[in-house]
Amino acid sequence: MAREVAEIPEAAARFLSQSAAEVEKAALTLRRANPGLVVTVARGSSDHAANYLKYAIELLAGIPVASVGPSVASIYGRPLHLKGAACLGISQSGRSPDIVEMMRAAGAGGAIPIAITNDADSPMARASAHTLPLNAGEEKSVAATKTFVCSVLAGLCLLAEWQDDAPLRAALQKVPESFAAALALDWSPLANRLSRASQAYVLGRGPAFAIAAEAALKLKETCGLHAESYSAAEVLHGPSAIVAAHFPVLALGVQDAALPHVAATAERLAGQGADVFLTGTTAPGATMLPSVPDLHPLVAPLVLIVSFYAFAEALSRRRGFDPDTPPHLRKVTETT
């Protein structure tokens, strides 16, 4: 995992240079089709990537995005009417039967199926009209890291080309150096707190909420820590009731319109006695963690997860776990 996290800047640069033609072809199809709806098909970390892209597409293109359950096709056999829609399937292996079947069903239902995968020859890729190969190189660690980052990067590149958005396109060309900077940041104050924790909340808004979900999953997978992710708004609708003295909270703030709201939630939970760690800004009672500054708001949350991955790998070992082989998990999970 440590080696693969360190490879993220290089993997991102490789995707940008080697998959540009495929991105342009898929974007051209979307411009011509002008879909009024996008649906996503994914599980696990890939579903967090899909959720990230949901926010990005809705914020930039103004097109609604919905996740569809793979079992609707694979188990229940119910066709979906998707004429005029695009379908993004995300899977690092591209081999899970339920994901593949849903992509086939989406195409049959009238959607444009676009695969984002690390295996351009996978069944999911063959079931799709377009494939965006991640070119991330083999990922051996059970916990996905570089393939998650490159999946989101692929979707953002597709979005930038589809919408012909010059600022986002320019920001994406600079992400390898932003990822390298993120790897050098020191999150040891959070490590000192979570080294002895049994539970935690991870919070975010917008695309950073998807990153919160991915971070919470990694804390479960690699650190044996019962972490839950919430929107920094949703956490106040019930879950904050159990936040008391020294409850650990990681709040992922970035420089976007939601930042004041994330900071306000961090301040409120700190006022309840929580040990709050916050990125992107300061808040009374919270410990600020460093982050890479001056990033495009649709890119900044993705850069945050790179810092988190390096932190989580070290925290896992500190807590006595092997981050490369989490218990009861396999690299490729094939569900039906």
Side-chain angles (χ1 to χ4, degrees):
M1 181 176 174
R3 182 180 68 253
E4 289 165 2
V5 170
E7 291 172 0
I8 288 174
E10 178 185 351
R14 192 162 52 244
F15 172 82
L16 291 170
S17 65
Q18 296 183 7
S19 296
E22 287 83 355
V23 170
E24 291 174 4
K25 290 175 185 176
L28 179 59
T29 296
L30 293 178
R31 283 197 298 272
R32 288 173 172 169
N34 191 26
L37 171 69
V38 176
V39 297
T40 62
V41 184
R43 291 199 187 278
S45 287
S46 293
D47 197 40
H48 301 155
N51 197 26
Y52 192 115
L53 297 175
K54 165 188 167 65
Y55 281 103
I57 293 168
E58 291 176 347
L59 289 170
L60 189 64
I63 296 171
V65 181
S67 171
V68 295
S71 62
V72 170
S74 65
I75 291 180
Y76 296 102
R78 183 65 170 95
L80 294 178
H81 302 290
L82 294 173
K83 184 177 181 180
C87 178
L88 292 180
I90 306 176
S91 169
Q92 66 91 15
S93 71
R95 299 203 302 269
S96 189
D98 54 350
I99 304 293
V100 174
E101 184 56 32
M102 188 69 242
M103 292 297 283
R104 287 197 187 104
I112 302 166
I114 301 174
I116 297 176
T117 180
N118 204 32
D119 184 352
D121 294 321
S122 65
M124 185 179 79
R126 294 194 296 272
S128 301
H130 294 278
T131 297
L132 308 185
L134 299 183
N135 293 309
E138 183 181 6
E139 188 173 61
K140 295 183 179 179
S141 173
V142 171
T145 54
K146 62 179 180 176
T147 54
F148 172 85
V149 171
C150 287
S151 293
V152 176
L153 177 59
L156 290 176
C157 287
L158 176 63
L159 175 62
E161 293 302 320
W162 171 20
Q163 297 297 307
D164 193 21
D165 190 278
L168 179 57
R169 186 187 292 118
L172 292 168
Q173 292 302 313
K174 297 177 181 178
V175 293
E177 59 193 70
S178 299
F179 292 156
L183 289 173
L185 297 181
D186 179 13
W187 282 20
S188 57
L190 180 61
N192 292 338
R193 176 63 188 89
L194 294 187
S195 65
R196 51 190 168 81
S198 61
Q199 59 186 345
Y201 281 170
V202 189
L203 311 179
R205 292 290 294 270
F209 172 49
I211 294 302
E214 171 64 7
L217 175 63
K218 289 299 183 286
L219 289 175
K220 294 185 185 84
E221 284 181 330
T222 67
C223 300
L225 199 158
H226 185 191
E228 296 295 335
S229 61
Y230 291 101
S231 157
E234 191 66 30
V235 73
L236 302 178
H237 291 261
S240 63
I242 69 169
V243 174
H246 305 299
F247 192 105
V249 176
L250 171 59
L252 299 173
V254 299
Q255 296 293 324
D256 68 3
L259 186 59
H261 304 278
V262 175
T265 297
E267 179 180 359
R268 175 168 169 175
L269 296 179
Q272 292 180 210
D275 292 333
V276 179
F277 299 84
L278 175 66
T279 67
T281 189
T282 60
T287 299
M288 186 178 179
L289 297 176
S291 57
V292 179
D294 304 322
L295 298 173
H296 190 291
L298 293 182
V299 171
L302 185 59
V303 176
L304 270 184
I305 199 62
V306 178
S307 294
F308 177 86
Y309 282 154
F311 150 81
E313 195 278 339
L315 177 65
S316 175
R317 297 188 185 279
R318 184 169 174 177
R319 287 173 60 92
F321 292 89
D322 179 357
D324 299 332
T325 56
H328 315 302
L329 297 176
R330 296 180 299 169
K331 181 59 188 171
V332 177
T333 303
E334 297 187 359
T335 49
T336 57

